Every structure is written in structure tokens, then in C-alpha cells.
Amino acid sequence: MSFSTFNVASLTAPVTNAGQPMISSPFSFFLAAVPGTGYRLFRLTNSGGAGATLTLQATISSPFKAPTGEANQPGTSSTVDSSDGNILASPYFDGTSIWFTHVFDLVGFLTVRYGAVKVSTNTVATAVAFHSGTSDDFNPSLAVGLNPSGTSVYLNWAFTDAPARTATSDVIDALPAGQPIGNLIGTGAVYAAGSITSQTRFGDFSSVAIDPQVPGGTCAVAAQQYFGVGGTWKTRLARVGTCQPPVLVPDMRNDSLAEAD
Amino acid sequence: MLGQDTNALLISTRNLTPTSRNFTVFGLPKAAIYPVPL
């Protein structure tokens, strides 16, 4: 099998199509977050096979500041690496928009930015997510569920809050189906509370996937890293949302006792 | 980093050399990865 590779100017994330079954798209998409600029949207033809071409569809202006420091921890001067502002988890295409997330600097704090690039207009809408006004928030990932009411978004990340004496902890938040993109501030559910570490390197693993067995994209499974006692990496898994499949209850009204047996 | 759509496995790489770094993207058609069952 032969295929072509294409050089790009910065780390550029491959876009996964959402849905169960997965939706189709006219092209394969790639998206890069570029500090100081915004987003670069690429499209790849022919599934990358013979004769494929990669086209820069648009550079979308939405400047943000790259992280300038690492995540602070309580009671120690050791900090935790929190990435450089690139998209590090696969974005998702919902048929209209590409949903993405990455870290940026917001008034000196590491902050999660998430958003959606509309591929027909080359426009972007963004919002922020963080745990508190003193937290550092990093290592995000997301997934989207497709529902008749619209797209639902599950956003998963880690945070520290040194002034609140909180070591690296894991949090997940959601944008309900069809709700406009908006800031998620202090509304997420904390699903792992960890310890401090002397390792500066974070594990970087972060993911969200929609549970395909629950209809409507209402249930997601998240994985995120934190540090256990002694400062070793650990990974916590969480299943969130409306995860119970609907139960069909037979209509037994007016049945005889034998029929209801 | 890995991604996928209905027709392709999508990959991006960050490549480090002793003196520089570069970035690539590419796709592998699923039809070439998964042979048609006999």
C-alpha cells in the first residue's frame, strides 16, 4: 500500500467523525490550534490514498495566548507540565462543525478552551472551562454525542488549585444537546482527587468516547490522569451522562392473569 | 495522534531530529487496511 504524507507547519490534529453509526463527510479533516493566530483547517481528499491532496481550507482568526507556565501544586514549588497550547486529543466532526479543545493562558492561569469550527463558513465559536478562579486547568479532551435535539459535548480535563490546597484532580463537564456553546466555570464533576508529585512531566493521557450502546449519544466514558500518594501517575475512568438504556415496559393493561404471566 | 472517518484512518506526527523538528499528517484508506472478507 502506498500513501502520501504531508508536511504542515505545526502539530495538527486528525478529526474523528462522530455518531453511531459514524457519519460520513466529503473530506477527511485536520485542525491545528495556533497561538496568536487561531485555527488552521485542512481537508484531505481520497482518504489519503493514491492521488490524495491536502488543502489548507482556511486560517481562522481567533487569537489566544500560549501557556506561559506550568500547573502549580499546593505546598511545593514543583509544577506539572501542561502542554504548549496545541490540540492534543482528536477533535470530533458532528456533520456541521469540528469540536476541539486545548489549553491556553488566561490572565496567567492555565485554562481550557473549547469550541467549534463550522466548516461551511470557516468560522469558530469558543468558550472557556475552568474549575475555579485560582485553578490551573490542563490536559483536556472531548467527544460529542449526536442527538435529535442537537450535539452534546463532554469535556474532560485535569486541574490543580494551589491556593485551595487541591492537587491534580480530574473533572468532567458537559454541554447538553443543542445548547449553545458557553463557558463552563466551576460546574464540572470532580471524579478523581489526587496528590502532589515531584515529577514535572504529566502523563498526557486524556480521552472521551461516546458509549455506542446507549442511543442518542447521552453517555460518555472518560479517562484522565492524576497522581496517587507518592506522586506516581494513575488513570481514572468515569462513565457519565444518561447511561441507562431505556427500558421497554410491556403494556399489561386489561390483560388477564394468564396473559400477564 | 489518531483519528478516523468512515473511509480513512487519520494520523498526525511530531518528528524530532537532532537539529530540528517537523510535523506531518496523512491518511490510510480503510479499504486498504481491512481486506474484503472472502
Side-chain angles (χ1 to χ4, degrees):
Chain A
M1 175 175 60
S2 66
F3 58 90
S4 300
T5 62
F6 301 91
N7 291 323
V8 287
S10 64
L11 190 63
T12 302
V15 176
T16 290
N17 286 10
Q20 179 63 26
M22 182 182 285
I23 61 168
S24 61
S25 56
F27 307 103
S28 303
F29 291 110
F30 292 84
L31 185 68
V34 185
T37 298
Y39 302 93
R40 280 198 286 261
L41 173 62
F42 296 88
R43 61 174 191 257
L44 177 70
T45 62
N46 203 28
S47 304
T53 59
L54 183 76
T55 302
L56 175 61
Q57 175 168 316
T59 298
I60 302 163
S61 178
S62 182
F64 62 89
K65 187 177 179 184
T68 53
E70 299 186 331
N72 293 307
Q73 300 184 97
T76 175
S77 58
S78 292
T79 54
V80 178
D81 181 32
S82 52
S83 93
D84 51 7
N86 286 302
I87 296 171
L88 298 176
S90 180
Y92 278 86
F93 179 55
D94 68 4
T96 301
S97 297
I98 296 170
W99 293 84
F100 63 86
T101 183
H102 60 88
V103 176
F104 77 116
D105 180 292
L106 180 64
V107 294
F109 291 97
L110 299 167
T111 304
V112 170
R113 193 187 215 199
Y114 79 105
V117 169
K118 191 171 184 179
V119 299
S120 63
T121 58
N122 297 324
T123 54
V124 66
T126 66
V128 301
F130 54 84
H131 176 72
S132 80
T134 54
S135 62
D136 284 321
D137 300 77
F138 56 100
N139 208 37
S141 57
L142 59 68
V144 301
L146 304 187
N147 185 278
S149 301
T151 298
S152 57
V153 181
Y154 298 89
L155 183 61
N156 165 44
W157 72 95
F159 72 92
T160 62
D161 195 339
R165 306 199 59 77
T166 304
T168 303
S169 301
D170 299 342
V171 61
I172 189 161
D173 209 338
L175 196 64
Q179 184 169 309
I181 188 169
N183 295 335
L184 302 172
I185 300 173
T187 52
V190 177
Y191 66 96
S195 300
I196 63 171
T197 185
S198 59
Q199 302 184 51
T200 59
R201 194 74 186 97
F202 196 60
D204 291 356
F205 184 61
S206 176
S207 73
V208 187
I210 301 299
D211 187 334
Q213 292 195 317
V214 179
T218 62
C219 180
V221 178
Q224 182 64 256
Q225 302 219 253
Y226 64 106
F227 297 98
V229 175
T232 55
W233 290 342
K234 289 182 177 294
T235 302
R236 177 64 56 90
L237 304 176
R239 195 162 179 255
V240 298
T242 303
C243 294
Q244 190 69 34
V247 177
L248 295 177
V249 179
D251 184 356
M252 296 186 293
R253 286 173 297 182
N254 303 319
D255 281 2
S256 67
L257 186 59
E259 290 171 321
D261 187 15
Chain B
M1 203 180 324
L2 293 173
Q4 64 171 319
D5 58 29
T6 51
N7 297 316
L9 175 65
L10 306 170
I11 300 172
S12 68
T13 65
R14 170 166 31 194
N15 313 302
L16 303 177
T17 74
T19 57
S20 66
R21 65 177 183 172
N22 61 77
F23 306 91
T24 63
V25 299
F26 57 99
L28 301 175
K30 288 182 177 177
I33 301 170
Y34 304 113
V36 177
L38 296 175

